[in-house]
Each structure stands twice: as structure tokens, then as C-alpha cells.
Amino acid sequence: MLILLSFMKTKSNQFAAKKLKLNRPLLLAKLPYNKKEARKNINLAYYIAQSKNIKDSNFILGEKTRLGTPRWYFVTRILSNLKKQGFYCKSTTAKILDSIYKKNCAIARGEIPFEKTKNILSIISRQETLLIAYKRVKRNCEAMVETTIQEGNTLDSYSSEKRVLEYRKSSFPDRISMADFDLTSFLILKGKYPWGSSRKIWLDTPGSKMSKDIYSKKRPITIPLFMDHVVQEAIKMVLHAIWEPYFEVLNRSFGFRPNKFCGDAIAAITSQKSQGLFYAIEGDIEGAYDMVEKKVMISQLSKKIEDKKFINFMIKRLNYDYIDDSGRQKPVSGIPQSGTDSPYLFNIHLYDLDFFIHNELQVDADRLNARLPKKEVRYKIRRRGESKIQYLEMELTRIRERIKSGNLKLPQIKEDRERRFDIMKQIRSRRRYLVRMPYVDPNSRDFRFLYIRYADDWILLSNSNSQICQRWKRLIKEFLWDKLKATLSEEKTIITDIRNKPAHFLGFELRRQKQGQLMYALQANRKRLTRSPGLLVTAFPDRQKIISRLYSKGFCEKDGFPKEVPWLSNLDTSIIIERFNASIRGFVQYYTGFVNKSSLYRWVYILRYSCLKTIARKYGSSINKVFKRFGKFLSSPTYKTIAVSVEVTVNGVTYQKEWELLSFENAYQAAFRIGFKRTLTDRFWTRENDKKIFEYPLKPHAPTVTHENFVDYVGWVSLKEKAPFEMLCCICRSTNSIEMYHIKHIRKTAYGDNEKRSFLQVMALRNRKQIPVCNNCHLNVIHGGRYTGPCLKDLIKVD
């Protein structure tokens, strides 16, 4: 009998599990898992080098002291001389850019009449502009990619053969000198700058091995030569000064703009502007960069720029060619991807789309609203319903007072109580009806929408119906084709009712409740049923995208169950923890403030237990044994984690450094203190209502014109960039033909303990990517392999 009961219980449990599976389908990853690609994305070389450097920290610290270069007085002397020459005080480039920016701010706000900007090419060709651009791009990971320069005779009439040859060598930041900037400035001003042939490579997008998947297309990347990077950055600096005020006032585009990121777009979508919106049009432009018509792009630039030399310069820039496995190609249309100025040029290209939706589509919405019944009708119905509730409440009060008086007989009291119960029932039903009835102010529009764009992805939220959304989608499609010669992707442009199914945008799921929740509020010392405020669009992490990415990188199984990363188990435990902490910290910081806290727990759990399983594999044990060995806060379910301590001895003193695996609560609290959401929402709302143009703080690596101290800061940046070219050679102390020796992937280089040290190891020790050397030492000593590791302090002795 017991066996029969247990069998029946097991069968019932299996049936319940099957029923649960049918009701709630299991979330599975859709991207494939490729061990080779997953291992490549881990960046294992950096962590191996870091692990080795931690072990040799005592030796490395001694080497840093021995190979240090105390040349601060020499640098200070150079900066003082440059200041005396007026290089810092007379920052003409910064003053011109700042005046252009402020003028366009006034035009965008409607304070002065519209006027095109002139004399742009003379600003780009200035040496100071090129030095500031050089600061931005010299650390780019693509800076050391080899490319070629177009062959031709465009330089014959303006420069000697030797100078052209020297210029063509500068396809890398390595060996760059002030002569290259002078020559580039000269060629740009004369309109003879030789744009190089980009190198085109094809990168696998997630899921490229699955030919039937939507991610199967490869992404083309065109990599220009280094000096082209610098010139493109100078172009972007000028375009920022002209176009940023118009983007800022319109406040609809957030991609690839200074001081903007995905959080600005999500903060705008989840702001009060999304109240009552439930239909979403998820838009995507087919081909994006590759399908941009060059003539349309030039006409877009000509709308706000009046400079024929600059327009001709941009025509040559857009008439690019590239080299791939099939040879040299020259596309008829398109903007090269991976160009420094390409994303911002694409934003300018789609500015008319933003303007069309913000103005022309609103006119169409007003036209549709005019055909609807009068807006006051629904408003009057609500007002009459509220008046009827007030009358019933007054009647209920009179009945209560009559019962409390004690002057009624028993049949009358019984009748009043029945009447009171009936009135309370009517009040409750009428309130429920009015709560669910959409409230429309008589002065507001019926059909509203909110449009947000990030690069070529855009979303339009509306409170209309599917037929009107189809109409607006068709209008946008026709505008893109007629005006911009762009094609709206039918496959990726989806109309979604986010009350039933979430929309997807920038790694988020956008949802909204079907109706307002009923809630009780204390009014006049008693509970009263009222309508919950809001019905805003809420954001959640894109579950399908996250689980697919975690699976493709090897952190979990296809169903989201954590698993170990075997190629990390050979590293030190502290390095394993640091690697997973970086993933946890980046994930939580991206979503915190924009989504519910509980929606992040599962994904952090996957990363944490993947780390624990990796460490368990390293020691050939289980997770329980890992907690017993490295456990910390084991009595607290919230903060339970592991920590590894490493002892480092420096000059006879032993220090102890601890690596602790981040718990969910610690990671969330650290990200929450940053407080992105509230700041970004306030900025969006203030700009939307007041058309303000905010001043953002300056960033040391990328000064922009969106700050009042831009003029002073740019002068200092250009001074600091010019100073290294005035220094002595780091090997022979020569002052002739100073060039920059530039290396790549310095973070992946471990400082070895062999007797013969390369120049690369010494620079990695000093954490320097560039160092001034003369032409002779650069070619014969460094690239000739004759450097044997002398002390740099002795090489750069300051008198």
C-alpha cells in the first residue's frame, strides 16, 4: 500500500511539473556556444600577465625604483617655455569652437536668426586642433592596425618627395613627429590631403555560426590609417560645436554624442512622458551606415555649413576605398564603419528623421484627434460620476447621523441599515468604474507619442491603436526613402502592445500594466478607494539576450544553470575572483536604477556560482569545500561570499591584500550610489519643458565644447601634447628628429626576470605606451634589437 501511494505521489508530481512547464515555458539561450570564441573573448593573456606580476610584486617594485625617470623639472621647463611662447594663453582654436557653439546655441533656442557657419576647414587644419585630436585617438586599440595610403600625384605640386615619403610612413602612431602634424595641416589647408585606403575586416556577430538566426550576418569594420583617425577626430570636434545645440534642444537622439550613453535613452523612455503609452514601434534602418547616400549626406552638412572648401574636403573623405581579401574596392554609397567621425555623421544624417517625427508626425496626430468625438464628453461623464458619488456619500452621512440619534424605531433602523448597505455598494461599484475609465484632460491631445533614437535603432511609444501605428510606420518608411534614401527594415520594425508582450530596446524589455491598480488612500481619517497614479512604461533586463550572451561566453548551460569556465581554473584564485567581479560590476552598473532590483538577482547568481565552480575545479573540490576554505560572512544569506588573501613583502614589510567575490547586495549598493536614473530623468524633463542646453563636466581624455571652461582646458591639453615632442631622446639625450615610440597591448605584458630586457618590458613596467626617442635610436637601437635594458634614469639625466 505504501509503495502504491508513493508511486501515485511521484506520478502526481511529474504531472504537476509537466503542467508547470506547459504554463511557463523554459527560457533557453538562442545563441550557439563556441569554445574557441568564448576563450578569445575572456582576454586570457591580460590575466596571465597580471597573475605573474602579482607574484613578482616585490621584484617589480624594486625595478620601478631602479628604472624610474625623475624628469619632472625638465618637463616643467618645457611647459614654461611653451607658455612664454603663448601656446597656452592664445588657444585660438578653442575660442573659435566655443564661439561657434554658443552662436548655434542661441540659434537653436530661437534667440537670433539662423545663420550658417563659415570657415570650417581653417579650424580643422590648425596644428592645435590636430594635437587635441591626437590625444583622443592615440590610445585607440585600432591605432596600430596596418593600412595603406592611396597612390597618386596629389602631393607633387605642394611638397617634396622626401616629405611625402615621410608622411606615408605615419600609418601608425609609432614614429609620429611634429613634422607629420605640420605636413598634415599644410595639406588640409590646400585641399590636397591624401585620404588613405582603409582596411576592411569582417567580425562575427553573436550567433554567426547559425545561418538561420537573425544574428548570422557579419559586421564589416573599416580601419583607416592613424593620421586619418586624427583628421576625422578633428572633423568631429567641429561638427560637435555646430550640431550639438540642435540635438540638445530637440532631445531625441542619444547615441554617439558627447556625455550621452544608453542610460539617457532609457531614462527618457521611463520618464513621465511615457504615462499612458502602451503601443511600441521598434524601428531599425536596414544597412544603416553602408546604405547612406553620399549626396544626401553632403546636402545635410550644407544646411548649416557654408564653406565650399570644407564641403569639397568632405566629398573626398566620403569617396573612400578599402582593401579586403578580394582587393581594392570603392563603394558607391555608405559611410565607413569604425571611422572616428562616422557615428556622428550618421546622427546628422538622421537629424531630419528626428525633426520629421517630432513635428510632422505630431501634425498628423493632431489631424486624427480633430476627427474624434469631442474630448469634453468623456471628461463630463467622469465629472457626473464623481458628482453622483458625492451625492451618495452625503446621503450615507445623513443615514448614519439618523441612526446615531436614537430617535428611530427598530423597523426604521433595519430599513436604514439596508439602505446604507445598498448605498455603500453603489459607491464602491461607481468608484471601480471611474478608476478603470481612462482620464483625459479636456485641454490635452487624445493621441500622443514619445520618440527616442539611439544611432540607427529607434522606438516610438503611443497610446493609439494598431491601425494608427501602422499608418505612422508607413509615413516614416516613406519619409526615409523619399528624403534620405534609406530603407526601413520590415523584419526588425515591429509593432508591439507592451501590455501583452514586451518591446526590446538597448538590452531592456519595456512593459506596461494593462490597467491601473486599485489602492486605498487615507482621506479625512478614513480609507478611500482611489486610482493609482502613473501607468508609466517600466524597464526590465532583456532576459533572452542576457541568457544567450552568458551561454555563448561559457558562464552557464543553455537553460541558465551556472557552470565552470575551465580555461580560467589555471589562474590564481585572486585573479579568478577579480575577473568575475569585473563582469558582475559592469552588469549591475548598467541596469541599476532603471530596472527592479529583484530582476537582476538571477543573472548575478549565475556569474557568482560560475566563479565558485571554477575555483572548485581548480582545487578539485566542491562548492561547499570552497566556502569552508575561503568563506566569509557565512551566517548571513545576503552577504555570504568568499575572500582570498595574498601576502606581499616589499622592502622587508609584509602587506596583505584581499580579493572578495562581490555579493549581490554589495554590487547593487555600489552601483545604486552612483544614482544615474534620477539625474538623467531630471535632465530630460527639464530640457523637454524649458529647451535648456546643459553644460556637462569636462572629461580629461575627451574635452568637448559643452562646458564653460572649454577654452582654458583645451589650451592646457594642447600644451601637454606638444611638450613630449620637445623632450630629449630617452636613450641618447639628442634633441634632433624626436619621434614617438608607440607600443600596443601594454596591459598584456608581464615584466620577466630574465637578464636581457627589451624596451617593451621596460615601458610596460613604467606603464607607458609612448616615449620620445630620436630617429637614429628608434631605428637602430629599439627596432634593431640592440636595447639591453639600461637604466632609464641614467639615460635621461637632468642637469
Side-chain angles (χ1 to χ4, degrees):
M1 186 67 180
L2 292 174
I3 297 174
L4 180 61
L5 289 174
S6 63
F7 176 76
M8 292 176 63
K9 186 177 181 181
T10 305
K11 281 292 183 182
S12 63
N13 289 341
Q14 290 177 359
F15 178 77
K18 288 182 179 179
K19 187 175 180 182
L20 182 63
K21 273 190 174 182
L22 290 175
N23 293 336
R24 298 180 63 184
L26 188 63
L27 184 65
L28 298 175
K30 291 186 177 180
L31 297 183
Y33 171 67
N34 188 314
K35 183 177 179 181
K36 183 178 179 181
E37 292 296 324
R39 184 167 183 169
K40 182 180 178 182
N41 292 332
I42 288 292
N43 196 6
L44 198 60
Y46 164 67
Y47 294 100
I48 293 175
Q50 185 183 14
S51 177
K52 191 176 186 308
N53 285 339
I54 290 175
K55 293 178 181 178
D56 300 335
S57 57
N58 189 25
F59 170 73
I60 290 176
L61 186 63
E63 288 291 286
K64 283 184 177 180
T65 305
R66 188 175 68 86
L67 300 177
T69 54
R71 47 180 182 163
W72 303 111
Y73 296 108
F74 186 71
V75 174
T76 304
R77 192 189 316 154
I78 292 176
L79 294 176
S80 301
N81 292 334
L82 291 175
K83 285 181 181 180
K84 290 179 181 178
Q85 298 173 14
F87 199 84
Y88 172 63
C89 300
K90 299 178 181 179
S91 182
T92 311
T93 301
K95 292 179 180 178
I96 295 174
L97 290 176
D98 191 56
S99 63
I100 292 174
Y101 176 73
K102 291 180 178 178
K103 179 181 178 181
N104 282 279
C105 285
I107 295 174
R109 286 192 294 256
E111 298 174 358
I112 60 175
F114 174 75
E115 185 180 354
K116 292 184 179 182
T117 307
K118 302 177 182 179
N119 299 326
I120 301 299
L121 194 63
S122 60
I123 305 173
I124 297 173
S125 63
R126 294 181 62 87
Q127 186 190 84
E128 187 179 15
T129 309
L130 296 175
L131 283 171
I132 300 168
Y134 167 71
K135 175 181 173 57
R136 294 187 182 184
V137 303
K138 68 180 181 180
R139 296 181 179 179
N140 196 324
C141 61
E142 300 169 355
M144 295 293 288
V145 177
E146 184 176 2
T147 50
T148 59
I149 295 181
Q150 288 180 353
E151 298 295 335
N153 56 359
T154 56
L155 307 177
D156 294 343
S157 58
Y158 291 98
S159 57
S160 65
E161 184 179 354
K162 182 178 178 181
R163 294 185 72 188
V164 175
L165 182 62
E166 193 66 27
Y167 170 76
R168 291 186 178 180
K169 290 179 182 178
S170 298
S171 56
F172 311 136
D174 189 32
R175 293 202 63 192
I176 196 168
S177 63
M178 286 302 297
D180 295 308
F181 292 104
D182 294 337
L183 179 58
T184 303
S185 174
F186 174 77
L187 294 174
I188 291 174
L189 193 60
K190 294 296 182 180
K192 298 295 181 178
Y193 179 78
W195 291 100
S197 297
S198 302
R199 179 186 173 191
K200 192 166 190 177
I201 59 176
W202 298 84
L203 300 180
D204 290 334
T205 55
S208 59
K209 305 299 180 182
M210 301 172 63
S211 58
K212 295 182 180 179
D213 196 272
I214 59 173
Y215 299 97
S216 60
K217 296 180 180 178
K218 290 190 175 184
R219 182 178 51 167
I221 299 294
T222 52
I223 305 173
L225 55 87
F226 178 73
M227 191 54 73
D228 284 0
H229 264 302
V230 174
V231 178
Q232 290 170 11
E233 184 66 34
I235 293 172
K236 189 173 73 171
M237 288 172 57
V238 177
L239 294 180
H240 279 172
I242 299 173
W243 285 89
E244 270 305 300
Y246 301 97
F247 283 124
E248 194 77 359
V249 169
L250 197 58
N251 204 24
R252 286 297 177 268
S253 173
F254 298 98
F256 299 103
R257 290 180 52 205
N259 303 293
K260 296 287 189 300
F261 73 113
C262 299
D264 291 88
I266 300 302
I269 291 174
T270 56
S271 67
Q272 292 291 331
K273 286 288 182 180
S274 67
Q275 184 173 0
L277 308 182
F278 50 85
Y279 263 103
I281 307 177
E282 305 170 50
D284 185 84
I285 298 174
E286 188 175 343
Y289 289 79
D290 295 333
M291 301 305 293
V292 172
E293 284 289 335
K294 297 178 181 180
K295 291 183 179 179
V296 177
M297 184 73 253
I298 293 299
S299 65
Q300 293 287 87
L301 293 173
S302 301
K303 289 181 180 179
K304 290 182 171 57
I305 296 174
E306 187 177 352
D307 187 351
K308 291 184 178 180
K309 290 184 178 180
F310 175 76
I311 296 300
N312 293 332
F313 181 70
M314 290 303 298
I315 291 174
K316 293 180 181 179
R317 185 261 178 277
L318 294 176
N319 289 332
Y320 72 102
D321 63 357
Y322 61 85
I323 298 174
D324 57 7
D325 296 336
S326 60
R328 190 185 297 270
Q329 306 290 335
K330 191 165 188 176
V332 179
S333 61
I335 300 175
Q337 292 195 39
S338 189
T340 310
D341 59 343
S342 297
Y344 204 77
L345 287 172
F346 189 75
N347 272 338
I348 295 174
H349 181 67
L350 291 186
Y351 175 78
D352 281 357
L353 174 64
D354 304 340
F355 192 84
F356 169 78
I357 294 177
H358 190 262
N359 293 279
E360 300 299 327
L361 209 64
Q362 186 61 63
V363 173
D364 186 74
D366 294 339
R367 191 182 302 113
L368 294 173
N369 291 333
R371 298 178 183 177
L372 296 176
K374 291 184 179 180
K375 305 168 189 175
E376 289 81 0
V377 174
R378 195 184 303 174
Y379 182 70
K380 288 179 179 178
I381 292 174
R382 174 176 281 278
R383 294 301 301 172
R384 282 201 300 268
E386 292 175 352
S387 300
K388 183 64 177 178
I389 291 175
Q390 291 177 2
Y391 170 76
L392 292 174
E393 287 177 343
M394 292 172 61
E395 182 67 20
L396 186 64
T397 302
R398 285 194 293 267
I399 292 174
R400 286 172 177 168
E401 290 176 353
R402 193 161 58 242
I403 293 174
K404 288 181 179 180
S405 64
N407 298 328
L408 300 178
K409 296 181 180 180
L410 187 61
Q412 294 176 335
I413 293 175
K414 186 176 181 181
E415 183 181 352
D416 282 349
R417 286 179 177 175
E418 291 177 354
R419 172 66 177 161
R420 184 182 66 178
F421 179 78
D422 183 57
I423 290 175
M424 290 175 65
K425 190 175 180 180
Q426 290 184 42
I427 291 174
R428 188 178 293 108
S429 63
R430 287 178 178 274
R431 280 182 177 160
R432 287 183 181 274
Y433 170 74
L434 292 178
V435 165
R436 288 184 170 88
M437 179 181 178
Y439 179 80
V440 179
D441 188 85
N443 298 321
S444 67
R445 301 183 178 93
D446 282 344
F447 292 146
R448 299 178 294 108
F449 62 84
L450 174 65
Y451 163 77
I452 299 296
R453 180 174 64 84
Y454 192 92
D456 60 328
D457 296 325
W458 54 270
I459 188 168
L460 188 145
L461 298 169
S462 174
N463 64 340
S464 61
N465 51 43
S466 60
Q467 290 80 9
I468 294 178
C469 288
Q470 289 286 354
R471 170 186 172 85
W472 287 346
K473 175 183 173 181
R474 177 175 54 82
L475 292 175
I476 294 172
K477 181 180 179 181
E478 292 174 355
F479 173 82
L480 285 172
W481 178 252
D482 294 339
K483 301 296 183 181
L484 303 180
K485 303 302 178 184
T487 305
L488 191 68
S489 176
E490 291 290 344
E491 181 184 1
K492 297 182 181 180
T493 304
I494 307 170
I495 298 176
T496 309
D497 187 347
I498 60 176
R499 295 172 297 184
N500 302 322
K501 183 181 178 182
H504 302 272
F505 189 65
L506 300 179
F508 289 84
E509 290 181 357
L510 304 177
R511 307 178 195 168
R512 210 208 74 169
Q513 296 175 349
K514 292 184 180 180
Q515 59 186 10
Q517 294 180 344
L518 298 177
M519 59 182 294
Y520 285 94
L522 289 174
Q523 293 184 2
N525 297 325
R526 61 192 178 95
K527 285 186 177 180
R528 180 174 181 177
L529 193 65
T530 59
R531 179 168 61 95
S532 63
L535 287 184
L536 300 175
V537 173
T538 54
F540 296 86
D542 193 336
R543 299 170 298 163
Q544 183 62 67
K545 187 173 183 180
I546 293 173
I547 196 172
S548 298
R549 291 296 175 87
L550 290 176
Y551 171 67
S552 65
K553 293 182 178 181
F555 294 120
C556 65
E557 301 288 350
K558 201 166 188 177
D559 59 352
F561 191 77
K563 69 175 184 179
E564 69 277 3
V565 183
W567 49 86
L568 289 178
S569 59
N570 295 326
L571 299 176
D572 292 341
T573 308
S574 58
I575 302 301
I576 296 174
I577 292 176
E578 183 176 351
R579 170 65 186 85
F580 280 91
N581 278 348
S583 299
I584 293 171
R585 194 179 295 110
F587 174 82
V588 175
Q589 285 182 359
Y590 183 77
Y591 285 105
T592 297
F594 304 102
V595 301
N596 192 1
K597 179 181 178 180
S598 60
S599 63
L600 301 176
Y601 184 80
R602 178 187 179 185
W603 316 113
V604 176
Y605 168 83
I606 292 175
L607 291 171
R608 277 173 50 83
Y609 273 80
S610 177
C611 177
L612 293 172
K613 287 190 173 185
T614 303
I615 297 174
R617 173 165 178 157
K618 175 181 177 62
Y619 293 101
S621 61
S622 63
I623 293 179
N624 288 334
K625 291 182 179 179
V626 170
F627 272 115
K628 287 181 181 179
R629 182 174 180 178
F630 303 109
K632 190 175 182 181
F633 308 120
L634 297 181
S635 60
S636 172
T638 304
Y639 296 99
K640 181 180 178 180
T641 185
I642 62 171
V644 177
S645 298
V646 177
E647 291 185 352
V648 179
T649 304
V650 179
N651 297 330
V653 180
T654 302
Y655 301 93
Q656 192 172 18
K657 185 175 181 180
E658 186 179 73
W659 281 265
E660 179 183 322
L661 179 62
L662 284 173
S663 64
F664 173 76
E665 192 65 28
N666 286 335
Y668 183 83
Q669 292 299 330
F672 189 79
R673 282 192 291 268
I674 300 176
F676 280 131
K677 174 66 184 302
R678 180 176 296 178
T679 303
L680 299 177
T681 304
D682 292 344
R683 285 178 180 174
F684 174 80
W685 189 258
T686 307
R687 273 195 222 98
E688 187 68 21
N689 293 337
D690 301 337
K691 290 188 177 182
K692 287 189 176 181
I693 299 177
F694 282 82
E695 294 175 347
Y696 292 95
L698 286 169
K699 297 181 180 180
H701 63 279
T704 60
V705 292
T706 57
H707 194 270
E708 60 181 1
N709 295 330
F710 171 74
V711 175
D712 297 333
Y713 188 75
V714 164
W716 174 249
V717 169
S718 59
L719 183 70
K720 291 281 287 183
E721 289 308 309
K722 187 177 176 59
F725 294 99
E726 304 287 337
M727 292 182 182
L728 302 176
C729 173
C730 289
I731 297 178
C732 68
R733 299 183 61 199
S734 172
T735 57
N736 298 325
S737 303
I738 296 298
E739 302 172 348
M740 286 294 155
Y741 173 57
H742 188 103
I743 63 174
K744 187 181 181 183
H745 295 311
I746 192 169
R747 297 171 68 229
K748 296 182 181 179
T749 306
Y751 188 75
D753 54 357
N754 56 325
E755 295 181 0
K756 185 177 180 181
R757 308 199 186 284
S758 67
F759 207 78
L760 180 66
Q761 287 178 316
V762 175
M763 290 183 68
L765 177 70
R766 301 176 63 233
N767 197 23
R768 293 289 302 274
K769 290 191 69 174
Q770 289 185 330
I771 198 165
V773 293
C774 67
N775 180 270
N776 181 52
C777 293
H778 196 166
L779 295 178
N780 299 328
V781 178
I782 298 175
H783 292 296
R786 300 176 183 175
Y787 180 76
T788 58
C791 178
L792 296 185
K793 180 170 63 175
D794 296 336
L795 296 178
I796 316 177
K797 189 179 297 183
V798 180
D799 297 330

